[in-house]
Amino acid sequence: MTSSATGTIGHRLHRFLVATAILLTATTSGISAAEYSGWSDEVGDVLQSTAASIEEYSDMRWRQFADRMGFGEPRHIAAYRGYGNAETLWLRGRLLSNERYGGPEEDDSWWDNLKASYQRWASDEVAGAKIRLSYVDQQKEVVTDSEGYYYAEFAVDENFPRTATVLAEHRLEDEVLHARHRILLPDPTARYVVISDVDDTVIHTGLTDLLTAARLTFLNNAKTRKPLRGVAALYRALAAGDAGGSVNPVIYVSNSAWNMYDLLRDFMELNDLPRGPLLLRDLGIGADTSDHKIETITRVTRRYAPLPVVLIGDSGQHDAEIYAEVAKRFPDRVKAIYIRDVDPRKDSEHDEMVDQIIEGHRSRDTAFLRVGDSGQIARHLAEMGILDESVVNRVERAVEADAKRETLEE
């Protein structure tokens, strides 16, 4: 095996192991909720920062080695879906030297899925590269950072929202790489914005159980993983305007790394969830870590002013605490908070922690509930006048239908 091949394998294996380590520290088994929120967070933060430091050093040395050997040439632009309001649109992308992932197949085995997970985390970013962005008659040139990411914002064109696409290109000596950013721009008739967690809120991740989380993350794909019961029907109803169609913005915010973007995007499209931006997390040095969710949700809420906000999360992590803080920051904007119970068939210390946060929030105007399924959310939204009564039966039927779908954990 050549030295260049050995270097590539070592670099990618390192990234894959970092991802595994982060998963293992994020998922604990057989300990109390208090221990989970204390020990796991503290150790997880230390290991994540340590892993990020090792990764940053490894990336730097790898790029030096790749430049000397003449490989690591850009192969594709990962153009993440962006979003905007009536004045400004924001986008983010990444330039990589990996081949583009082709997506899941119906007959993929666990080994195929494991290899795909490895490739997903073994991303080789291209730093210091120029990306040209075009939106209607506006052009910008940006440069990728040390992790291969680029960022940009544009003034929304007067033809908004019909031209919600930004073209990206990177010029090589003998070809040009192209990609297209799809941008979510709110309809003028939008009545509210939905901001939702992803893990154990939309897709079952099992972050409260180590073995289930590992199996779902590494041995399954977007076609074999299932949405939580009724979530697709509920979110489609929330996105729809009075005349139908996607009108109300749905924004997905997750602590998952950007390496998971393709899996989550494919999952949402396969399960007919509303197409909205996935705002994920960078794991590199100096990246947003513990504050990622609250700062991202705060930023989105400000950008979508004055629309009311509906927040949906789960009881497995810190969504109740984070959402309560967001409601304090925007007391007149956050209309409802729903925390999906990750284990509705039993009472747990997770439930007690969520209930304590809800109890401390009762004096405020925001509706704040721990719920068992999407049907309960739909019923409460109908009582508030946000959803039509006819939607409730549709979501409840979807909950029953999804309960009959085979899933890994059952």
Side-chain angles (χ1 to χ4, degrees):
M1 181 178 294
T2 66
S3 60
S4 62
T6 304
T8 302
I9 292 172
H11 176 72
R12 292 181 174 180
L13 181 59
H14 155 73
R15 280 181 174 270
F16 188 57
L17 292 176
V18 167
T20 307
I22 290 172
L23 172 68
L24 295 179
T25 56
T27 56
T28 56
S29 180
I31 62 175
S32 69
E35 291 172 322
Y36 179 85
S37 60
W39 176 86
S40 177
D41 287 348
E42 183 174 350
V43 174
D45 287 345
V46 171
L47 288 184
Q48 286 192 21
S49 62
T50 302
S53 299
I54 295 171
E55 181 183 13
E56 183 78 2
Y57 178 76
S58 173
D59 286 348
M60 178 188 69
R61 296 306 299 269
W62 165 249
R63 285 193 292 269
Q64 292 172 348
F65 176 71
D67 288 343
R68 288 198 303 269
M69 299 301 295
F71 54 87
E73 184 172 313
R75 287 184 171 84
H76 87 273
I77 300 171
Y80 307 132
R81 189 182 300 271
Y83 70 101
N85 55 30
E87 292 82 31
T88 307
L89 63 85
W90 297 270
L91 63 87
R92 175 183 182 129
R94 199 177 192 191
L95 183 62
L96 299 167
S97 63
N98 309 76
E99 295 291 346
R100 190 184 300 274
Y101 175 62
E105 300 293 339
E106 292 287 354
D107 58 350
D108 280 351
S109 66
W110 68 267
W111 177 245
D112 294 322
N113 295 329
L114 183 62
K115 287 191 295 182
S117 294
Y118 168 77
Q119 292 168 358
R120 187 173 293 116
W121 286 97
S123 57
D124 289 333
E125 65 276 356
V126 180
K130 294 180 180 179
I131 304 290
R132 184 174 180 80
L133 300 169
S134 302
Y135 168 64
V136 195
D137 59 352
Q138 302 177 54
Q139 285 80 41
K140 290 188 177 184
E141 187 172 84
V142 294
V143 178
T144 59
D145 65 13
S146 61
E147 291 291 315
Y149 294 106
Y150 61 88
Y151 318 84
E153 63 180 63
F154 288 90
V156 171
D157 184 80
E158 63 181 5
N159 292 321
F160 151 82
R162 294 172 299 192
T163 53
T165 299
V166 176
L167 301 179
E169 67 176 38
H170 173 69
R171 292 189 175 275
L172 301 170
E173 288 186 6
D174 54 353
E175 67 173 315
V176 179
L177 302 180
H178 295 277
R180 186 185 300 269
H181 291 270
R182 303 292 184 182
I183 310 295
L184 174 71
L185 294 176
D187 190 281
T189 63
R191 296 184 294 124
Y192 50 81
V193 56
V194 179
I195 303 176
S196 173
D197 178 47
V198 177
D199 301 324
D200 289 322
T201 302
V202 173
I203 181 174
H204 181 73
T205 306
L207 285 180
T208 57
D209 181 82
L210 175 63
L211 292 179
T212 299
R215 291 170 65 198
L216 287 168
T217 300
F218 296 122
L219 304 182
N220 277 253
N221 62 43
K223 287 190 174 181
T224 59
R225 296 180 69 171
K226 307 300 180 187
L228 295 181
R229 296 171 183 175
V231 70
L234 173 65
Y235 282 36
R236 286 197 302 271
L238 282 167
D242 294 334
S246 291
V247 171
N248 303 304
V250 179
I251 313 291
Y252 304 95
V253 179
S254 172
N255 271 333
S256 292
W258 284 102
N259 302 66
M260 298 292 290
Y261 182 86
D262 67 280
L263 183 147
L264 296 175
R265 178 205 59 209
D266 292 347
F267 169 87
M268 290 177 176
E269 292 185 358
L270 287 166
N271 288 282
D272 201 20
L273 281 145
R275 293 183 176 181
L278 283 157
L279 305 181
L280 307 182
R281 183 160 66 101
D282 181 10
L283 298 179
I285 277 283
D288 46 7
T289 53
S290 59
D291 294 334
H292 163 69
K293 261 190 179 179
I294 192 164
E295 296 307 323
T296 301
I297 294 171
T298 297
R299 185 162 54 247
V300 169
T301 301
R302 285 178 178 149
R303 288 173 174 176
Y304 276 105
L307 287 177
V309 177
V310 175
L311 299 171
I312 307 176
D314 67 87
S315 64
Q317 295 180 292
H318 299 286
D319 289 347
E321 180 181 353
I322 291 169
Y323 291 176
E325 176 59 28
V326 173
K328 289 179 184 177
R329 296 182 183 186
F330 302 96
D332 299 326
R333 298 275 310 285
V334 179
K335 296 304 179 186
I337 300 172
Y338 300 102
I339 302 297
R340 188 186 292 272
D341 194 336
V342 297
D343 49 5
R345 288 169 289 192
K346 63 178 182 180
D347 293 327
S348 69
E349 294 186 20
H350 290 286
D351 300 338
E352 293 177 10
M353 292 177 66
V354 170
D355 291 344
Q356 288 175 9
I357 294 171
I358 292 174
E359 187 62 32
H361 200 79
R362 288 202 183 280
S363 61
R364 301 178 181 273
D365 294 334
T366 302
F368 201 157
L369 284 77
R370 173 166 63 90
V371 297
D373 59 35
S374 298
Q376 190 175 346
I377 297 176
R379 285 193 296 275
H380 187 263
L381 286 168
E383 292 170 3
M384 294 181 66
I386 293 177
L387 290 182
D388 190 89
E389 284 286 347
S390 62
V391 171
V392 178
N393 290 336
R394 191 185 325 152
V395 174
E396 289 177 337
R397 289 195 300 271
V399 170
E400 295 174 0
D402 288 345
K404 300 175 182 178
R405 297 173 65 177
E406 181 182 355
T407 59
L408 176 68
E409 68 273 17
E410 294 181 343

